[in-house]
Amino acid sequence: MSLAVVGSVAFDSLETPFGKRERVLGGAATHFSLAASFFTDVRVVGVVGDDFGDEELAVFEARGVNVDDLERVPGARSFHWSGRYEDDMTVAHTLDTQLNVFADFDPKLSPETASASTLFLANILPELQLRVRRQCPDADIVGLDSMNYWIESARESLIETISEVDVVTLNDAEVRMLTHEPNLARAARQLRELGPRVALVKQGPYGACMFTADGYFSIPAYPLETVIDPTGAGDSFAGGCFGYLDSLGDPDPSEDALRAAAVYGSVMASFAVEDFGTERTQRLGEDEISARFAEFKRMMTFDEPVRAA
Amino acid sequence: MSLAVVGSVAFDSLETPFGKRERVLGGAATHFSLAASFFTDVRVVGVVGDDFGDEELAVFEARGVNVDDLERVPGARSFHWSGRYEDDMTVAHTLDTQLNVFADFDPKLSPETASASTLFLANILPELQLRVRRQCPDADIVGLDSMNYWIESARESLIETISEVDVVTLNDAEVRMLTHEPNLARAARQLRELGPRVALVKQGPYGACMFTADGYFSIPAYPLETVIDPTGAGDSFAGGCFGYLDSLGDPDPSEDALRAAAVYGSVMASFAVEDFGTERTQRLGEDEISARFAEFKRMMTFDEPVRAA
């Protein structure tokens, strides 16, 4: 089994109520692949400049993430995002976006990556997502993320790309925006009617929910008292989710598998936000993941007490 | 066992994307007592004018709600709220509030009501809530709701009242506002430090969550494709919750009891919003409640699949 992810590998400059960080390692494919690496073999597809050095590479290598398809462009700089969060941490204000090497990115997958059993198309230009998707015709499970910017500016190609994937992970505002439907249950149904059999809807501090043919599943967020940096929470969520799914080796995951995957996603997101950038995920242990998964189960379980006579 | 609730019994004029209704029966104590009536004996404490007629009374009587403590003020008019909802149904704009009889309300409970085993102080002036609370010294379980208006204008007396109850049901923005703490987990802990052992936090379309000494419990909202009128959802939530708790007859409800109660609350809220005012709750059957409770269980349950060898 192996999991390929295509998306941004970047530097982020971050400002949250807990401090500032300049040019820390970030990007959707970075957060995704580090989270997924706890569950399966991961291959990252992306592009960086020569500001991406041994220190950054070592972060991937320490987690066993394969970087053969991480293209390096000499004389160019990596994607760079600068953002600031308000006190309640739910809204990110983009201060600056420098596409740099990403502007001309045209991924060509190695045979090993193209034969991955699971593929995740992180948030990039939908046309690029589609080109990568078609390079992996044999992938059993294909997931996709996107954002409001592409929904507005590349709607048609995004919908075409969505029609060729199995699982879409968007946040609730994006699902509503894509479908022009304010009611989330209707919006998710319409999203699934475009092709994907699973709509996995991220809801930020409220957790996530999943719509499948078998029904509706609600996943809480972990009630952290301290959120240091929400950047990468959604990508870590997807990484945990698809990493777990790939590890099962089932080309047609059951409802139980999808539900457990969504909970592992929420587990990985809950760790990601406990420190800046990828710092918490870098020092995470498998025992911590199991323990928090068990905590999620306790947060969701109830049994009616026996009534007094 | 019996459950007393004090709060508004009112007329509401409502405007939602699904239509308009003029002067339908509403008010927090109305929605609460109708929802609670499916679980236990309910006594409603409130005040109405002589625009409150036999038709309105019949709604309470049909559900067996005791109205002995519903004061009628001759020559006066009932509380009247006018509101409008946006397309996404999460924000209510108050168009007009006429306190009428409510301006001089000074509840004096009958001995039968004052000896209720469970008491709920719906959203009214905190001083009034406190006066009612102190008329029921023997109540085993006391709950309280409030709103942003009282948090801003009557903060000290609200905090005093909160210190004398067991369960607080506020929405997440209100919990943050009361504690001046943007992080919900911290805010809920601070709320519990004021006295109540349970913080039951309503999250609108995202459901609710509960903080107790035993930990955190997350309750989804039911994924309705059509929400007709959200008015009274929070009060129906509290009604289901406290009605169920009272029905157990346990003066010190267990964590299981509290969790099941919160789910019954979410069940009752999910029905309340399916039609204008109290219409859906009026025509609700007990079998529908049991069926939806079972659906909530399915929405929250997951089991890891057995891994391939």
Side-chain angles (χ1 to χ4, degrees), chain B residues 48-101:
Chain B
V48 291
D50 46 24
D51 50 353
F52 186 90
D54 289 345
E55 195 185 330
E56 287 77 29
L57 210 54
V59 175
F60 290 87
E61 284 170 350
R63 291 287 332 141
V65 176
N66 182 294
V67 292
D68 292 352
D69 287 52
L70 184 61
E71 188 187 337
R72 303 256 217 149
V73 182
R77 289 175 72 78
S78 303
F79 183 79
H80 181 208
W81 179 76
S82 302
R84 184 173 57 79
Y85 293 89
E86 300 279 353
D87 273 6
D88 77 353
M89 297 279 198
T90 59
V91 181
H93 299 282
T94 292
L95 302 174
D96 187 33
T97 301
Q98 295 173 15
L99 285 178
N100 298 328
V101 292

Short mmCIF file of all heavy atoms in Angstrom, two decimals, chain B residues 48-101:
data_model
loop_
_atom_site.label_atom_id
_atom_site.label_comp_id
_atom_site.label_asym_id
_atom_site.label_seq_id
_atom_site.Cartn_x
_atom_site.Cartn_y
_atom_site.Cartn_z
N VAL B 48 -49.20 36.16 31.06
CA VAL B 48 -49.75 36.50 29.74
C VAL B 48 -50.82 37.59 29.89
O VAL B 48 -51.29 37.86 31.00
CB VAL B 48 -50.37 35.26 29.05
CG1 VAL B 48 -49.28 34.26 28.65
CG2 VAL B 48 -51.40 34.59 29.95
N GLY B 49 -51.16 38.18 28.77
CA GLY B 49 -52.24 39.17 28.77
C GLY B 49 -53.54 38.52 28.32
O GLY B 49 -53.62 37.30 28.14
N ASP B 50 -54.56 39.36 28.13
CA ASP B 50 -55.81 38.71 27.74
C ASP B 50 -55.94 38.52 26.22
O ASP B 50 -56.98 38.11 25.73
CB ASP B 50 -57.05 39.35 28.38
CG ASP B 50 -57.06 40.85 28.29
OD1 ASP B 50 -56.38 41.39 27.38
OD2 ASP B 50 -57.70 41.49 29.12
N ASP B 51 -54.83 38.75 25.51
CA ASP B 51 -54.78 38.29 24.12
C ASP B 51 -54.43 36.80 24.07
O ASP B 51 -54.45 36.18 23.00
CB ASP B 51 -53.75 39.10 23.31
CG ASP B 51 -52.39 39.20 23.99
OD1 ASP B 51 -52.25 38.75 25.15
OD2 ASP B 51 -51.46 39.75 23.37
N PHE B 52 -54.08 36.23 25.20
CA PHE B 52 -53.76 34.80 25.29
C PHE B 52 -55.07 34.07 25.57
O PHE B 52 -55.65 34.18 26.66
CB PHE B 52 -52.76 34.57 26.42
CG PHE B 52 -52.23 33.18 26.54
CD1 PHE B 52 -51.10 32.78 25.85
CD2 PHE B 52 -52.87 32.24 27.33
CE1 PHE B 52 -50.60 31.48 25.97
CE2 PHE B 52 -52.40 30.94 27.46
CZ PHE B 52 -51.25 30.57 26.77
N GLY B 53 -55.57 33.38 24.60
CA GLY B 53 -56.94 32.86 24.70
C GLY B 53 -57.02 31.36 24.83
O GLY B 53 -56.01 30.68 25.07
N ASP B 54 -58.19 30.85 24.62
CA ASP B 54 -58.44 29.42 24.78
C ASP B 54 -57.63 28.60 23.77
O ASP B 54 -57.20 27.48 24.07
CB ASP B 54 -59.94 29.13 24.58
CG ASP B 54 -60.75 29.66 25.75
OD1 ASP B 54 -60.14 29.99 26.80
OD2 ASP B 54 -61.98 29.78 25.62
N GLU B 55 -57.45 29.16 22.59
CA GLU B 55 -56.70 28.43 21.57
C GLU B 55 -55.27 28.15 22.03
O GLU B 55 -54.74 27.04 21.86
CB GLU B 55 -56.66 29.27 20.29
CG GLU B 55 -56.25 28.54 19.05
CD GLU B 55 -56.12 29.49 17.86
OE1 GLU B 55 -56.85 30.51 17.80
OE2 GLU B 55 -55.27 29.22 16.99
N GLU B 56 -54.64 29.16 22.63
CA GLU B 56 -53.27 29.00 23.12
C GLU B 56 -53.22 28.05 24.32
O GLU B 56 -52.35 27.19 24.42
CB GLU B 56 -52.68 30.37 23.50
CG GLU B 56 -52.32 31.25 22.31
CD GLU B 56 -53.53 31.91 21.66
OE1 GLU B 56 -54.54 32.16 22.37
OE2 GLU B 56 -53.49 32.16 20.44
N LEU B 57 -54.19 28.25 25.21
CA LEU B 57 -54.27 27.40 26.40
C LEU B 57 -54.39 25.93 26.01
O LEU B 57 -53.81 25.04 26.64
CB LEU B 57 -55.48 27.83 27.22
CG LEU B 57 -55.41 27.64 28.73
CD1 LEU B 57 -54.16 28.31 29.31
CD2 LEU B 57 -56.66 28.23 29.38
N ALA B 58 -55.17 25.69 24.96
CA ALA B 58 -55.42 24.32 24.53
C ALA B 58 -54.14 23.60 24.11
O ALA B 58 -54.02 22.38 24.25
CB ALA B 58 -56.43 24.31 23.38
N VAL B 59 -53.15 24.36 23.61
CA VAL B 59 -51.88 23.75 23.20
C VAL B 59 -51.17 23.15 24.41
O VAL B 59 -50.65 22.03 24.36
CB VAL B 59 -50.98 24.79 22.50
CG1 VAL B 59 -49.61 24.19 22.18
CG2 VAL B 59 -51.65 25.32 21.23
N PHE B 60 -51.19 23.89 25.51
CA PHE B 60 -50.57 23.38 26.74
C PHE B 60 -51.36 22.19 27.28
O PHE B 60 -50.79 21.18 27.69
CB PHE B 60 -50.50 24.49 27.81
CG PHE B 60 -49.50 25.57 27.48
CD1 PHE B 60 -49.85 26.66 26.69
CD2 PHE B 60 -48.19 25.49 27.95
CE1 PHE B 60 -48.94 27.64 26.38
CE2 PHE B 60 -47.26 26.47 27.65
CZ PHE B 60 -47.63 27.55 26.85
N GLU B 61 -52.68 22.35 27.28
CA GLU B 61 -53.51 21.30 27.87
C GLU B 61 -53.41 20.00 27.08
O GLU B 61 -53.41 18.91 27.65
CB GLU B 61 -54.97 21.79 27.96
CG GLU B 61 -55.12 22.78 29.12
CD GLU B 61 -56.46 23.50 29.14
OE1 GLU B 61 -57.22 23.40 28.14
OE2 GLU B 61 -56.75 24.19 30.14
N ALA B 62 -53.30 20.11 25.76
CA ALA B 62 -53.19 18.90 24.93
C ALA B 62 -51.96 18.09 25.29
O ALA B 62 -51.94 16.87 25.13
CB ALA B 62 -53.16 19.28 23.44
N ARG B 63 -50.93 18.78 25.79
CA ARG B 63 -49.71 18.08 26.19
C ARG B 63 -49.65 17.85 27.69
O ARG B 63 -48.61 17.45 28.22
CB ARG B 63 -48.47 18.86 25.74
CG ARG B 63 -48.22 18.92 24.25
CD ARG B 63 -47.71 17.62 23.61
NE ARG B 63 -46.96 16.79 24.53
CZ ARG B 63 -47.04 15.46 24.57
NH1 ARG B 63 -47.84 14.81 23.75
NH2 ARG B 63 -46.34 14.78 25.44
N GLY B 64 -50.76 18.14 28.38
CA GLY B 64 -50.81 17.88 29.83
C GLY B 64 -49.95 18.81 30.66
O GLY B 64 -49.61 18.49 31.81
N VAL B 65 -49.60 19.97 30.10
CA VAL B 65 -48.76 20.91 30.87
C VAL B 65 -49.65 21.69 31.84
O VAL B 65 -50.67 22.25 31.44
CB VAL B 65 -48.03 21.89 29.92
CG1 VAL B 65 -47.25 22.94 30.71
CG2 VAL B 65 -47.09 21.12 28.99
N ASN B 66 -49.27 21.72 33.10
CA ASN B 66 -50.03 22.42 34.13
C ASN B 66 -49.80 23.93 34.02
O ASN B 66 -48.66 24.39 34.00
CB ASN B 66 -49.59 21.90 35.51
CG ASN B 66 -50.40 22.55 36.62
OD1 ASN B 66 -50.29 23.75 36.84
ND2 ASN B 66 -51.20 21.75 37.29
N VAL B 67 -50.90 24.69 33.97
CA VAL B 67 -50.79 26.15 33.78
C VAL B 67 -51.30 26.92 35.00
O VAL B 67 -51.60 28.11 34.91
CB VAL B 67 -51.54 26.62 32.51
CG1 VAL B 67 -50.84 26.08 31.27
CG2 VAL B 67 -53.00 26.18 32.54
N ASP B 68 -51.36 26.25 36.18
CA ASP B 68 -51.85 26.94 37.38
C ASP B 68 -51.02 28.17 37.73
O ASP B 68 -51.52 29.12 38.32
CB ASP B 68 -51.85 25.99 38.59
CG ASP B 68 -52.89 24.88 38.45
OD1 ASP B 68 -53.71 24.95 37.50
OD2 ASP B 68 -52.88 23.95 39.27
N ASP B 69 -49.73 28.13 37.38
CA ASP B 69 -48.86 29.27 37.71
C ASP B 69 -48.63 30.18 36.50
O ASP B 69 -47.67 30.96 36.47
CB ASP B 69 -47.51 28.77 38.24
CG ASP B 69 -47.64 28.20 39.65
OD1 ASP B 69 -48.51 27.33 39.85
OD2 ASP B 69 -46.89 28.64 40.53
N LEU B 70 -49.51 30.09 35.53
CA LEU B 70 -49.44 31.01 34.39
C LEU B 70 -50.41 32.16 34.69
O LEU B 70 -51.63 32.02 34.55
CB LEU B 70 -49.83 30.28 33.09
CG LEU B 70 -49.70 31.09 31.80
CD1 LEU B 70 -48.25 31.54 31.57
CD2 LEU B 70 -50.16 30.25 30.61
N GLU B 71 -49.85 33.27 35.12
CA GLU B 71 -50.65 34.42 35.56
C GLU B 71 -51.28 35.12 34.36
O GLU B 71 -50.63 35.29 33.33
CB GLU B 71 -49.70 35.37 36.31
CG GLU B 71 -50.34 36.53 37.00
CD GLU B 71 -49.28 37.50 37.56
OE1 GLU B 71 -48.12 37.07 37.79
OE2 GLU B 71 -49.61 38.68 37.72
N ARG B 72 -52.55 35.53 34.51
CA ARG B 72 -53.22 36.30 33.45
C ARG B 72 -53.44 37.72 33.95
O ARG B 72 -54.05 37.92 34.99
CB ARG B 72 -54.59 35.69 33.16
CG ARG B 72 -54.50 34.24 32.76
CD ARG B 72 -54.69 34.13 31.28
NE ARG B 72 -55.45 32.92 30.99
CZ ARG B 72 -56.27 32.80 29.96
NH1 ARG B 72 -56.49 33.83 29.15
NH2 ARG B 72 -56.88 31.67 29.75
N VAL B 73 -53.00 38.70 33.20
CA VAL B 73 -53.16 40.11 33.59
C VAL B 73 -54.26 40.73 32.72
O VAL B 73 -54.06 40.93 31.52
CB VAL B 73 -51.85 40.89 33.42
CG1 VAL B 73 -52.03 42.34 33.88
CG2 VAL B 73 -50.72 40.23 34.20
N PRO B 74 -55.39 41.03 33.31
CA PRO B 74 -56.51 41.57 32.52
C PRO B 74 -56.13 42.95 31.95
O PRO B 74 -55.42 43.72 32.60
CB PRO B 74 -57.65 41.70 33.54
CG PRO B 74 -57.21 40.95 34.75
CD PRO B 74 -55.73 40.94 34.75
N GLY B 75 -56.59 43.18 30.76
CA GLY B 75 -56.38 44.48 30.13
C GLY B 75 -54.97 44.70 29.62
O GLY B 75 -54.63 45.82 29.23
N ALA B 76 -54.16 43.67 29.67
CA ALA B 76 -52.77 43.83 29.20
C ALA B 76 -52.50 42.85 28.06
O ALA B 76 -53.30 41.94 27.80
CB ALA B 76 -51.80 43.58 30.34
N ARG B 77 -51.40 43.06 27.39
CA ARG B 77 -51.04 42.20 26.25
C ARG B 77 -49.81 41.35 26.58
O ARG B 77 -48.96 41.74 27.37
CB ARG B 77 -50.76 43.06 25.01
CG ARG B 77 -52.04 43.68 24.44
CD ARG B 77 -51.75 44.62 23.29
NE ARG B 77 -51.34 43.93 22.07
CZ ARG B 77 -52.16 43.31 21.22
NH1 ARG B 77 -53.46 43.26 21.48
NH2 ARG B 77 -51.71 42.75 20.13
N SER B 78 -49.74 40.20 25.94
CA SER B 78 -48.63 39.27 26.16
C SER B 78 -47.35 39.79 25.52
O SER B 78 -47.38 40.62 24.60
CB SER B 78 -48.97 37.90 25.55
OG SER B 78 -50.16 37.40 26.10
N PHE B 79 -46.25 39.25 25.98
CA PHE B 79 -44.94 39.48 25.37
C PHE B 79 -45.02 39.16 23.87
O PHE B 79 -45.66 38.18 23.48
CB PHE B 79 -43.92 38.55 26.06
CG PHE B 79 -42.50 38.71 25.61
CD1 PHE B 79 -41.70 39.74 26.07
CD2 PHE B 79 -41.94 37.78 24.74
CE1 PHE B 79 -40.38 39.86 25.66
CE2 PHE B 79 -40.62 37.89 24.32
CZ PHE B 79 -39.84 38.94 24.78
N HIS B 80 -44.38 39.99 23.06
CA HIS B 80 -44.44 39.79 21.61
C HIS B 80 -43.07 40.04 21.00
O HIS B 80 -42.49 41.12 21.16
CB HIS B 80 -45.48 40.74 20.99
CG HIS B 80 -45.62 40.58 19.50
ND1 HIS B 80 -46.01 41.61 18.68
CD2 HIS B 80 -45.40 39.50 18.69
CE1 HIS B 80 -46.03 41.17 17.42
NE2 HIS B 80 -45.66 39.90 17.40
N TRP B 81 -42.56 39.03 20.30
CA TRP B 81 -41.25 39.15 19.64
C TRP B 81 -41.43 39.01 18.14
O TRP B 81 -42.15 38.14 17.66
CB TRP B 81 -40.30 38.05 20.15
CG TRP B 81 -38.93 38.07 19.52
CD1 TRP B 81 -37.92 38.95 19.79
CD2 TRP B 81 -38.42 37.19 18.51
NE1 TRP B 81 -36.82 38.66 19.02
CE2 TRP B 81 -37.10 37.59 18.22
CE3 TRP B 81 -38.96 36.10 17.81
CZ2 TRP B 81 -36.30 36.94 17.28
CZ3 TRP B 81 -38.16 35.45 16.87
CH2 TRP B 81 -36.84 35.88 16.62
N SER B 82 -40.77 39.89 17.40
CA SER B 82 -40.78 39.78 15.93
C SER B 82 -39.34 39.58 15.46
O SER B 82 -38.44 40.33 15.87
CB SER B 82 -41.33 41.05 15.29
OG SER B 82 -42.63 41.31 15.75
N GLY B 83 -39.15 38.59 14.60
CA GLY B 83 -37.79 38.30 14.14
C GLY B 83 -37.75 37.80 12.73
O GLY B 83 -38.75 37.31 12.18
N ARG B 84 -36.58 37.95 12.14
CA ARG B 84 -36.37 37.53 10.75
C ARG B 84 -35.06 36.75 10.67
O ARG B 84 -34.07 37.13 11.30
CB ARG B 84 -36.28 38.77 9.86
CG ARG B 84 -36.15 38.50 8.37
CD ARG B 84 -36.25 39.82 7.57
NE ARG B 84 -35.25 40.79 7.99
CZ ARG B 84 -33.97 40.77 7.62
NH1 ARG B 84 -33.54 39.83 6.80
NH2 ARG B 84 -33.13 41.69 8.05
N TYR B 85 -35.06 35.66 9.91
CA TYR B 85 -33.86 34.85 9.74
C TYR B 85 -33.29 35.01 8.35
O TYR B 85 -34.04 35.08 7.37
CB TYR B 85 -34.17 33.37 9.98
CG TYR B 85 -34.53 33.07 11.41
CD1 TYR B 85 -35.85 33.15 11.85
CD2 TYR B 85 -33.53 32.76 12.34
CE1 TYR B 85 -36.17 32.90 13.18
CE2 TYR B 85 -33.86 32.51 13.66
CZ TYR B 85 -35.18 32.58 14.07
OH TYR B 85 -35.51 32.34 15.38
N GLU B 86 -31.94 35.01 8.27
CA GLU B 86 -31.26 35.01 6.99
C GLU B 86 -31.38 33.63 6.33
O GLU B 86 -31.80 32.66 6.95
CB GLU B 86 -29.77 35.31 7.20
CG GLU B 86 -29.47 36.63 7.84
CD GLU B 86 -29.52 37.78 6.84
OE1 GLU B 86 -29.67 37.51 5.63
OE2 GLU B 86 -29.44 38.93 7.28
N ASP B 87 -30.88 33.55 5.10
CA ASP B 87 -30.94 32.29 4.34
C ASP B 87 -30.33 31.10 5.07
O ASP B 87 -30.82 29.99 4.97
CB ASP B 87 -30.20 32.44 3.00
CG ASP B 87 -31.12 33.00 1.93
OD1 ASP B 87 -32.27 33.36 2.28
OD2 ASP B 87 -30.69 33.08 0.77
N ASP B 88 -29.23 31.33 5.77
CA ASP B 88 -28.56 30.18 6.39
C ASP B 88 -29.16 29.84 7.74
O ASP B 88 -28.75 28.89 8.39
CB ASP B 88 -27.04 30.36 6.46
CG ASP B 88 -26.64 31.30 7.58
OD1 ASP B 88 -27.52 31.92 8.20
OD2 ASP B 88 -25.43 31.41 7.84
N MET B 89 -30.16 30.60 8.19
CA MET B 89 -30.98 30.29 9.37
C MET B 89 -30.22 30.36 10.69
O MET B 89 -30.76 30.00 11.73
CB MET B 89 -31.57 28.86 9.27
CG MET B 89 -32.50 28.70 8.12
SD MET B 89 -34.12 29.35 8.58
CE MET B 89 -35.11 28.56 7.32
N THR B 90 -28.96 30.77 10.66
CA THR B 90 -28.23 30.75 11.93
C THR B 90 -28.34 32.07 12.68
O THR B 90 -28.14 32.12 13.87
CB THR B 90 -26.73 30.43 11.74
OG1 THR B 90 -26.17 31.42 10.87
CG2 THR B 90 -26.56 29.04 11.12
N VAL B 91 -28.66 33.14 11.97
CA VAL B 91 -28.73 34.44 12.63
C VAL B 91 -30.16 34.95 12.63
O VAL B 91 -30.81 35.02 11.58
CB VAL B 91 -27.82 35.47 11.91
CG1 VAL B 91 -27.88 36.82 12.61
CG2 VAL B 91 -26.39 34.97 11.86
N ALA B 92 -30.66 35.29 13.83
CA ALA B 92 -31.99 35.89 13.94
C ALA B 92 -31.84 37.40 14.13
O ALA B 92 -31.07 37.84 14.98
CB ALA B 92 -32.73 35.31 15.14
N HIS B 93 -32.53 38.16 13.33
CA HIS B 93 -32.55 39.61 13.52
C HIS B 93 -33.84 39.96 14.24
O HIS B 93 -34.93 39.67 13.74
CB HIS B 93 -32.51 40.33 12.17
CG HIS B 93 -31.28 40.03 11.39
ND1 HIS B 93 -30.07 40.60 11.67
CD2 HIS B 93 -31.07 39.17 10.35
CE1 HIS B 93 -29.16 40.13 10.83
NE2 HIS B 93 -29.73 39.26 10.02
N THR B 94 -33.73 40.56 15.42
CA THR B 94 -34.92 41.00 16.15
C THR B 94 -35.44 42.26 15.49
O THR B 94 -34.72 43.25 15.35
CB THR B 94 -34.58 41.26 17.63
OG1 THR B 94 -34.27 40.01 18.25
CG2 THR B 94 -35.74 41.91 18.35
N LEU B 95 -36.69 42.21 15.05
CA LEU B 95 -37.30 43.37 14.42
C LEU B 95 -38.02 44.22 15.47
O LEU B 95 -38.07 45.44 15.38
CB LEU B 95 -38.28 42.93 13.33
CG LEU B 95 -37.66 42.06 12.22
CD1 LEU B 95 -38.74 41.55 11.27
CD2 LEU B 95 -36.60 42.86 11.45
N ASP B 96 -38.56 43.56 16.49
CA ASP B 96 -39.32 44.29 17.50
C ASP B 96 -39.49 43.39 18.73
O ASP B 96 -39.67 42.18 18.61
CB ASP B 96 -40.70 44.67 16.96
CG ASP B 96 -41.46 45.58 17.91
OD1 ASP B 96 -40.81 46.39 18.60
OD2 ASP B 96 -42.70 45.46 17.97
N THR B 97 -39.39 43.99 19.91
CA THR B 97 -39.67 43.28 21.16
C THR B 97 -40.62 44.13 21.98
O THR B 97 -40.32 45.29 22.29
CB THR B 97 -38.37 43.07 21.98
OG1 THR B 97 -37.45 42.32 21.19
CG2 THR B 97 -38.65 42.31 23.26
N GLN B 98 -41.79 43.60 22.31
CA GLN B 98 -42.72 44.30 23.19
C GLN B 98 -42.88 43.47 24.46
O GLN B 98 -43.50 42.41 24.46
CB GLN B 98 -44.08 44.48 22.49
CG GLN B 98 -43.95 45.40 21.27
CD GLN B 98 -45.24 45.46 20.45
OE1 GLN B 98 -46.30 45.05 20.94
NE2 GLN B 98 -45.15 45.97 19.25
N LEU B 99 -42.31 43.99 25.57
CA LEU B 99 -42.34 43.25 26.82
C LEU B 99 -43.77 43.10 27.35
O LEU B 99 -44.13 42.06 27.89
CB LEU B 99 -41.50 43.95 27.89
CG LEU B 99 -39.98 43.83 27.74
CD1 LEU B 99 -39.29 44.61 28.84
CD2 LEU B 99 -39.55 42.36 27.81
N ASN B 100 -44.55 44.18 27.23
CA ASN B 100 -45.95 44.17 27.71
C ASN B 100 -46.02 43.64 29.15
O ASN B 100 -45.30 44.16 30.01
CB ASN B 100 -46.84 43.39 26.74
CG ASN B 100 -46.86 44.05 25.35
OD1 ASN B 100 -46.75 45.27 25.25
ND2 ASN B 100 -46.99 43.27 24.30
N VAL B 101 -46.84 42.62 29.39
CA VAL B 101 -47.00 42.09 30.75
C VAL B 101 -45.69 41.67 31.40
O VAL B 101 -45.60 41.59 32.63
CB VAL B 101 -47.93 40.85 30.78
CG1 VAL B 101 -49.35 41.24 30.46
CG2 VAL B 101 -47.43 39.77 29.83
#
